[in-house]
Structures are given as C-alpha cells and as structure tokens.
Amino acid sequence: MTKPVLYIVIPCYNEEEVLPITAPMFLQQLQDMTKQGLIHEESRILFVNDGSRDHTWDIIQSLNRSDRHYQGIAQSRNRGHQNAVLAGLMEAKDRCDVTISIDCDGQDDLNAMQDMLRAYHDGCEIVYGVRDNRDTDTRFKRFTAQAFYRMMNRMGAEVIYNHADYRLISSRALQELARFHEVNLFLRGMVPLVGFRSTSVYYARHERLAGKSHYPLGKMLALAFDGITSLSVKPIRMVTITGLLISLISFIGILWAVVTALRGRSVAGWASMACIICFMGGIQTLFLGVIGEYIGKIYLETKARPRYIIAERTDEMKEPGMEEPACRM
C-alpha cells in the first residue's frame, strides 16, 4: 500500500485561546497515523490564518519554529471561513496526495481521520465527516441546524445532512474543484458537484475546548442563503410560480368585482382595498429582493475578484525564490 502525503487544512480566525490546546492534538493524530502506515512521514498540518485580530498568526509561526510538521499561511485580510478553507486546499493540492479539512476548535473527533484514510485507500476520492448525533447542542441549536439542512435540500442545494466542512478530498478531486471559479463560495454544496466515488464517516462531536463559536445563528442563516442562491435557481422559480398564482387570483377577483358592480351590489370599502394594496406591495418587494440577490451574485461573479490573497507563508510553504515583502514606512 502506497503511503499518501496528507495535509490537514485548518482555518483559524481569532483562535489564540484554543489553538495552543488543539495543535498538539493534531500533531499527535498525525504521528499516530504515520506509525500505522496510513500516511507518509512528509505529511503536514496547514493552518490558514483568516485575518485574525489576535495573536493567532504569532502562535502559528511559533508552532512552525518548534516543529516542521506545522505549516501556515496568512490571508491579507479576513475573507470568511469558506474562503479560508479553499485557500488552504488550493495551497495544498500540488504538495500532497490527499487533504483533510477540519476546524481548529477540537469539536470534531480526530480519530475519524483514520476511517477517512481507510476509505481513501479503498478507492474513495471524497469522504464526508458526518455527525451521528447533536447531543452536545442546545435544543435551539439542534432545531436550527436541522432546519438549515432541510431548507437547503428543499431549495435544490445538494448537501450532506449533518456534514459541515470536516472532509477528506484527494488531490485528484481538488484539481477538478480548482476549475470551479465561483466567487460566492459554499463548499458543502460545491464538493458534491465534483463527483467521483465518495462515502461518509460518522462520528460524535464534542464541546468546544476553548474560545467562542464564530458561527452564531445570524451567520448560519447568511451561509444558508448564500448556499441556496449560489447553487440553485429554485427560489426564482418559486417567485415565478407564486406570481402566476397571485395573478390568477387577482384576475378572478377582478371578474368578481366587475360582475358585482354590474349587478349593482358593490359597496365601497377602504379596508379591503388597503389590505390588497399592502399585500401586493409586500409581495412585490419580497420578489424584488430575491431577484436583486441573484443580480448581486451575478455582479460579484462578473468582477472575478480573487477569492483569497495570501500575505505570508511559513518557510516550507514558500515557492522557490519567494520572499515575503518587507513593511514600508
């Protein structure tokens, strides 16, 4: 069995509290998998600093100086979790045979990596890490998460239930993912579109070891909306169908009003008229908002701005002849 070179890609944003705790855990898992013959000894841990405002990058650089297995790249500014994950994957795709992306908060079971690699050795190019329960979540968090996945699938975005961004992707699949040029990223929906043989590995999720979650309800809703509008036109079709139904009902209402007036039974009433006007005004504003969201997405896509910009790299991640620019006064 050929030992693949593995890069564990870990996005980090303001993780100075949890990173010193979880970094040794990642290294221990890497060493254990190396001893078991699952991966090559040249495998690495790649931290992606997503424009953190604390000492996260300083910690990553310190880890790199202490052990060569720790590597890191730093984005020029905060670009968001999905862009950070993509930056790490694209940096790693030509340096390794397989990647595993995982958050640095210690909630995902690291032992699931071994099962992912076994599935890779069995021929799978993509392996999804899927939570088998949500016992550690609050009732509200559990309800909103389940609603998130149900809504995503009903809106036409193909996602794996209870799967976030803990996944194995082979370099072959990453080469194909690199051909996806979307600026509006939703990797949970993009990766299944790549295809290739895939499977899922189930694990129990733990409590966050330190620090605060960076995915409150507001960000989850924003992520869901971005995923739907980036991967599906179903909302536009729903707007069209709803518009046709309202038009049909309105046409019937007009016929009824005309017949009533001709028969001399009409009674003037401002309340019914006000309700109709408010209803139609609200529906039109909602529909314009949905259409405007898609137009905004098109606007951003046509600009083709870079999805990430790397400002710094640790030594091993630098290309030959690459030097970091010095700060100018």
Side-chain angles (χ1 to χ4, degrees):
M1 179 177 65
T2 304
K3 299 179 183 178
V5 175
L6 167 69
Y7 268 58
I8 303 175
V9 177
I10 308 170
C12 304
Y13 177 66
N14 293 344
E15 301 290 3
E16 65 178 3
E17 293 183 38
V18 74
L19 197 53
I21 301 173
T22 56
M25 296 168 59
F26 290 122
L27 181 59
Q28 184 61 53
Q29 184 64 225
L30 194 77
Q31 293 172 341
D32 289 345
M33 293 187 294
T34 301
K35 291 177 181 177
Q36 294 178 37
L38 291 173
I39 57 176
H40 196 276
E41 53 268 18
E42 291 300 317
S43 298
R44 297 287 184 266
I45 299 167
L46 175 58
F47 295 106
V48 183
N49 179 42
D50 187 24
S52 298
R53 299 178 181 179
D54 59 7
H55 297 289
T56 296
W57 180 240
D58 295 331
I59 294 173
I60 293 172
Q61 290 179 309
S62 177
L63 289 169
N64 171 249
R65 289 191 292 269
S66 67
D67 193 303
R68 67 187 180 89
H69 290 97
Y70 293 119
Q71 296 297 323
I73 58 176
Q75 298 208 84
S76 59
R77 53 158 292 172
N78 177 250
R79 309 282 294 202
H81 180 270
Q82 298 292 281
N83 296 71
V85 174
L86 182 71
L89 294 177
M90 293 300 102
E91 285 283 310
K93 67 180 173 63
D94 296 322
R95 306 170 184 268
C96 65
D97 301 301
V98 62
T99 63
I100 294 179
S101 58
I102 185 173
D103 291 337
C104 72
D105 53 19
Q107 289 188 273
D108 297 316
D109 184 6
L110 300 187
N111 292 322
M113 292 185 185
Q114 300 178 20
D115 294 330
M116 290 181 179
L117 285 164
R118 292 188 183 97
Y120 169 75
H121 285 295
D122 288 338
C124 291
E125 303 281 352
I126 300 173
V127 184
Y128 302 100
V130 179
R131 297 178 63 171
D132 58 7
N133 65 72
R134 288 187 170 270
D135 295 339
T136 58
D137 290 345
T138 63
R139 183 175 300 178
F140 178 74
K141 173 70 173 178
R142 194 179 305 121
F143 171 77
T144 54
Q146 291 172 348
F148 168 83
Y149 288 104
R150 283 197 298 266
M151 180 176 65
M152 292 296 295
N153 283 294
R154 288 176 181 175
M155 289 293 104
E158 182 184 349
V159 294
I160 307 298
Y161 185 74
N162 269 349
H163 163 70
D165 288 291
Y166 188 17
R167 70 178 73 87
L168 176 149
I169 310 180
S170 69
S171 59
R172 179 189 178 195
L174 284 176
Q175 296 294 340
E176 299 305 321
L177 181 63
R179 298 171 60 188
F180 287 60
H181 300 296
E182 287 95 330
V183 173
N184 302 283
L185 295 176
F186 185 69
L187 294 175
R188 302 181 199 183
M190 291 171 60
V191 172
L193 295 177
V194 175
F196 296 120
R197 182 180 171 186
S198 64
T199 188
S200 297
V201 166
Y202 296 87
Y203 68 95
R205 206 162 192 242
H206 313 298
E207 295 283 355
R208 185 181 176 91
L209 295 180
K212 298 180 180 179
S213 171
H214 301 300
Y215 256 93
L217 178 61
K219 282 193 174 183
M220 181 179 290
L221 291 174
L223 180 65
F225 200 65
D226 283 342
I228 292 169
T229 53
S230 297
L231 297 169
S232 173
V233 296
K234 196 169 184 178
I236 291 288
R237 291 173 182 168
M238 292 174 64
V239 164
T240 303
I241 293 171
T242 306
L244 288 173
L245 290 175
I246 293 176
S247 298
L248 178 60
I249 295 171
S250 300
F251 180 71
I252 295 173
I254 292 171
L255 291 178
W256 174 80
V258 170
V259 171
T260 302
L262 291 176
R263 297 176 66 179
R265 298 180 180 177
S266 61
V267 178
W270 64 268
S272 59
M273 184 62 69
C275 290
I276 293 173
I277 291 173
C278 291
F279 175 73
M280 292 304 300
I283 287 292
Q284 289 175 350
T285 303
L286 174 63
F287 288 178
L288 286 174
V290 173
I291 296 171
E293 184 68 24
Y294 276 91
I295 293 174
K297 288 283 194 294
I298 295 171
Y299 174 71
L300 293 175
E301 293 292 342
T302 55
K303 285 183 174 293
R305 289 171 177 167
R307 295 174 290 184
Y308 58 88
I309 298 174
I310 305 302
E312 296 182 68
R313 295 174 171 85
T314 51
D315 290 339
E316 190 172 312
M317 297 304 296
K318 295 177 183 178
E319 298 292 341
M322 178 184 296
E323 294 183 2
E324 302 297 351
C327 294
R328 297 179 180 178
M329 300 298 292

